Amino acid sequence: MSLMPVCSKEEAEPNNTMDKANSISSGDTVTGHTGIETQYGLMGDMDIFCLPVKYPGKLTVYASVTGKFGNTAGESSIRVDILNKDELKTGEWKDPSSGKEKSPVCTGNITRTITVQKPGNIYILVDRYGEHAYYKVKIVYEEKGNNKSETLSSAVSEAEPNDTPSSAMKLALKQPVVGHTGLTGKYGLQGNRDYYTVEVPYPGKLTVYLNIEGRYGEGNMGKPSVNISLVNGDEMASGSWKNPYTGQDTSSVFYKGDKGKSIFIKKGGKLIILLDRYEANAKYRFVVVFESGE
């Protein structure tokens, strides 16, 4: 996503307190500066912006230092942060392509994401870090609170045989599929692995949503559950499975009620996904969603 929009709007002073914050919408780009010239010389100036959100989600900030403000000798830089992080139960700032925690300090150009777990007003602070600077900041918010099934197509059934990587079922992104990890054969109930392949266009975040819809077959021990893994994860993925809302590490096992698990993809290509029983064989509904890291 480009930081150079067709148009942008300038900050409106005074906006250095939360009650006077400039109201913005997702997709807005604002320009401003962290210093102010007074009769007493150059002074610091905080800029606060307010973005109202109705659902949990992901906030992405594209920030750029566009020049030096005032006659200073050091390097100009800004810091972009959330004033009410505790209230919104946010995670930490991350690089959107790698998922690694990153500083919110910008000396040139940066892209940072942060998760928001509670809806409300997000108060975004832009302040000096080194010397005063002119800046440009673009804010994008992606809601995660809506039911993804509302905008998805009807589910298809898994196509057997798909129990080896070479016979994996090809699955489009955002295409739900229903299946099960068991197979009733000549000798009774047995396990049955399910392989799927999806095409990932470029680096970004891949999230799998899997709902356990019940037990498959009789005579199973334990809870119906599914373990998910990436066959070519060493080649395609970076890091471990994470909670898509908090960014915290999470188990690869799905039980009833689990909403999703995310992992960062480091390059485009074919990803091979394996679904296998963990305790008891299960019926499941599965969908793969991809978000650009750019």
Side-chain angles (χ1 to χ4, degrees):
M1 187 175 297
S2 172
L3 188 61
M4 302 300 293
V6 175
C7 61
S8 59
K9 54 187 181 183
E10 293 184 4
E11 56 158 323
E13 294 286 359
N15 63 340
N16 56 354
T17 60
M18 290 173 67
D19 61 313
K20 295 180 180 178
N22 290 173
S23 179
I24 58 172
S25 301
S26 176
D28 282 352
T29 298
V30 293
T31 59
H33 46 79
T34 61
I36 186 169
E37 296 283 1
T38 72
Q39 61 178 324
Y40 304 106
L42 183 62
M43 298 181 65
D45 176 43
M46 297 188 302
D47 297 329
I48 301 173
F49 304 92
C50 178
L51 174 68
V53 299
K54 295 181 179 180
Y55 298 97
K58 181 179 74 172
L59 181 78
T60 302
V61 172
Y62 305 85
S64 176
V65 172
T66 58
K68 183 177 293 189
F69 183 87
N71 185 20
T72 55
E75 184 178 36
S76 295
S77 56
I78 61 172
R79 180 183 177 94
V80 182
D81 220 334
I82 310 298
L83 287 177
N84 55 334
K85 290 177 66 173
D86 291 341
E87 174 189 341
L88 299 171
K89 297 187 180 299
T90 69
E92 297 300 321
W93 289 106
K94 297 180 183 293
D95 179 283
S97 295
S98 68
K100 294 182 178 179
E101 291 187 6
K102 292 288 184 179
S103 166
V105 174
C106 173
T107 57
N109 296 283
I110 64 167
T111 302
R112 297 287 184 267
T113 63
I114 198 167
T115 57
V116 176
Q117 295 187 64
K118 291 185 64 178
N121 291 328
I122 304 176
Y123 289 96
I124 302 161
L125 168 68
V126 182
D127 197 7
R128 63 175 286 184
Y129 184 75
E131 300 296 342
H132 295 294
Y134 287 99
Y135 66 81
K136 183 180 291 185
V137 174
K138 183 170 185 175
I139 307 294
V140 177
Y141 191 76
E142 300 171 69
E143 293 178 349
K144 304 296 182 186
N146 287 319
N147 186 345
K148 294 214 175 264
S149 63
E150 292 177 0
T151 57
L152 298 175
S153 57
S154 299
V156 299
S157 297
E158 62 164 312
E160 295 283 2
N162 63 338
D163 54 355
T164 65
S166 60
S167 63
M169 177 180 173
K170 187 175 181 180
L171 193 64
L173 294 169
K174 293 189 177 181
Q175 172 59 64
V177 60
V178 292
H180 48 79
T181 60
L183 179 65
T184 303
K186 180 179 179 181
Y187 302 102
L189 181 65
Q190 56 189 14
N192 179 43
R193 292 183 165 191
D194 294 335
Y195 290 86
Y196 297 93
T197 64
V198 294
E199 287 288 337
V200 180
Y202 31 68
K205 186 173 79 170
L206 182 134
T207 303
V208 294
Y209 295 90
L210 193 148
N211 294 321
I212 304 296
E213 299 187 334
R215 186 187 301 266
Y216 179 83
E218 299 299 329
N220 286 285
M221 299 296 292
K223 298 178 182 179
S225 50
V226 174
N227 182 67
I228 189 164
S229 60
L230 305 180
V231 176
N232 55 339
D234 290 344
E235 173 191 354
M236 294 289 295
S238 173
S240 56
W241 290 107
K242 298 182 183 298
N243 181 302
Y245 302 103
T246 66
Q248 300 298 312
D249 286 350
T250 190
S251 167
S252 59
V253 177
F254 280 83
Y255 289 96
K256 183 177 180 181
D258 282 359
K259 294 182 178 179
K261 301 182 190 300
S262 297
I263 199 163
F264 292 89
I265 304 301
K266 56 189 178 183
K267 68 176 185 177
K270 183 170 74 173
L271 188 67
I272 305 174
I273 304 172
L274 168 63
L275 274 60
D276 198 7
R277 64 175 291 179
Y278 186 72
E279 292 184 29
N281 287 315
K283 301 175 184 177
Y284 63 79
R285 187 177 187 274
F286 176 59
V287 65
V288 181
V289 177
F290 180 78
E291 302 168 58
S292 168
E294 299 178 355

